[in-house]
Amino acid sequence: AQSVTQPDIHITVSEGASLELRCNYSYGATPYLFWYVQSPGQGLQLLLKYFSGDTLVQGIKGFEAEFKRSQSSFNLRKPSVHWSDAAEYFCAVGGRGNEKLTFGTGTRLTIIP
Amino acid sequence: DTEVTQTPKHLVMGMTNKKSLKCEQHMGHRAMYWYKQKAKKPPELMFVYSYEKLSINESVPSRFSPECPNSSLLNLHLHALQPEDSALYLCASSQPGTVSGNTIYFGEGSWLTVV
């Protein structure tokens, strides 16, 4: 069975501060990992993905994520957040030939001035 | 801007109505999806079409009926819905059989309210 755990339901950070959102996964084969962002009332936008190769992946909007197989983690980071980053963030896991993407429960990010 | 477009953005329907949600993707993908998302929850998979054939039905009630007229269009027909079916319905697409085939791209969603 595949699963994703996002341990932080809600995170508040100051504008300009660094950010790390945690994601742990369980998957029986080589995982494909994704981070999506959802602004209020909007659909999901793909931030970045990991399939293989370099374990540090760069995404859009200045985000990056690091795959750590030994820790079954795929944490999302940003060095300096902007007010527009306030949103819900979902981590997801899938696999090669697997049409089912399993999502975590999401982390809501609030930015304070 | 998303290349998966959904209409309508908002829909209010009564429990005896018949309505449809529509989705079109402009990326040449051959897999399309319907997800349902309740407030403050992650998306839940409903249906998957792969090469215009239904490949996954996640035990969705028959009051939801998907249709894939061609490789770029996906409909969700709604009939005799319940108030608990009110949610954001997300369409998505991907390209199977490629290295990045599991990358799923979402539309902006259709907000459905059942009264």
Side-chain angles (χ1 to χ4, degrees):
Chain A
Q2 57 195 72
S3 66
V4 175
T5 300
Q6 292 181 248
D8 304 304
I9 296 173
H10 184 203
I11 284 183
T12 300
V13 299
S14 299
E15 190 169 14
S18 63
L19 172 70
E20 182 169 31
L21 302 183
R22 296 182 291 166
C23 172
N24 292 97
Y25 69 90
S26 173
Y27 194 75
T30 300
Y32 291 174
L33 294 156
F34 307 85
W35 275 100
Y36 288 87
V37 61
Q38 186 176 32
S39 297
Q42 303 295 313
L44 275 72
Q45 182 180 25
L46 179 67
L47 281 178
L48 46 77
K49 59 190 177 186
Y50 171 78
F51 292 145
S52 65
D54 192 347
T55 56
L56 184 63
V57 293
Q58 303 297 320
I60 62 172
K61 304 185 181 189
F63 285 92
E64 66 179 25
E66 186 171 13
F67 172 60
K68 292 185 177 180
R69 184 184 299 275
S70 62
Q71 298 177 21
S72 298
S73 69
F74 188 56
N75 295 347
L76 183 71
R77 300 194 294 248
K78 186 170 184 178
S80 176
V81 297
H82 185 261
W83 63 266
S84 60
D85 294 324
E88 189 84 20
Y89 291 79
F90 292 100
C91 181
V93 68
R96 185 178 180 86
N98 182 0
E99 294 169 318
K100 288 190 178 186
L101 202 60
T102 297
F103 286 88
T105 51
T107 297
R108 182 162 60 94
L109 176 63
T110 298
I111 309 295
I112 55 176
Chain B
D1 289 339
T2 182
E3 294 186 70
V4 178
T5 56
Q6 294 186 238
T7 56
K9 292 198 182 307
H10 298 273
L11 177 63
V12 179
M13 60 183 292
M15 289 188 285
T16 58
N17 292 159
K18 287 185 179 181
K19 297 285 185 182
S20 297
L21 304 180
K22 298 183 182 301
C23 175
E24 183 172 12
Q25 55 93 6
H26 309 280
M27 293 179 282
H29 289 168
R30 300 304 299 274
M32 295 188 75
Y33 308 73
W34 280 115
Y35 283 82
K36 173 183 178 179
Q37 186 180 25
K38 302 284 277 184
K40 301 187 186 301
K41 297 290 187 182
E44 298 174 4
L45 182 64
M46 299 175 72
F47 303 103
V48 181
Y49 274 83
S50 183
Y51 296 92
E52 296 91 67
K53 294 192 186 307
L54 184 65
S55 60
I56 295 177
N57 177 343
E58 291 288 271
S59 302
V60 178
S62 60
R63 57 185 184 268
F64 295 92
S65 175
E67 178 195 20
C68 189
N70 60 52
S71 61
S72 62
L73 293 175
L74 185 67
N75 300 321
L76 186 63
H77 302 299
L78 313 170
H79 174 56
L81 295 193
Q82 303 298 310
E84 58 264 29
D85 296 321
S86 299
L88 178 65
Y89 288 84
L90 293 161
C91 176
S93 70
S94 69
Q95 181 57 13
T98 63
V99 173
S100 61
N102 287 88
T103 304
I104 296 177
Y105 297 89
F106 287 85
E108 292 293 315
S110 292
W111 287 95
L112 173 68
T113 302
V114 181
V115 298

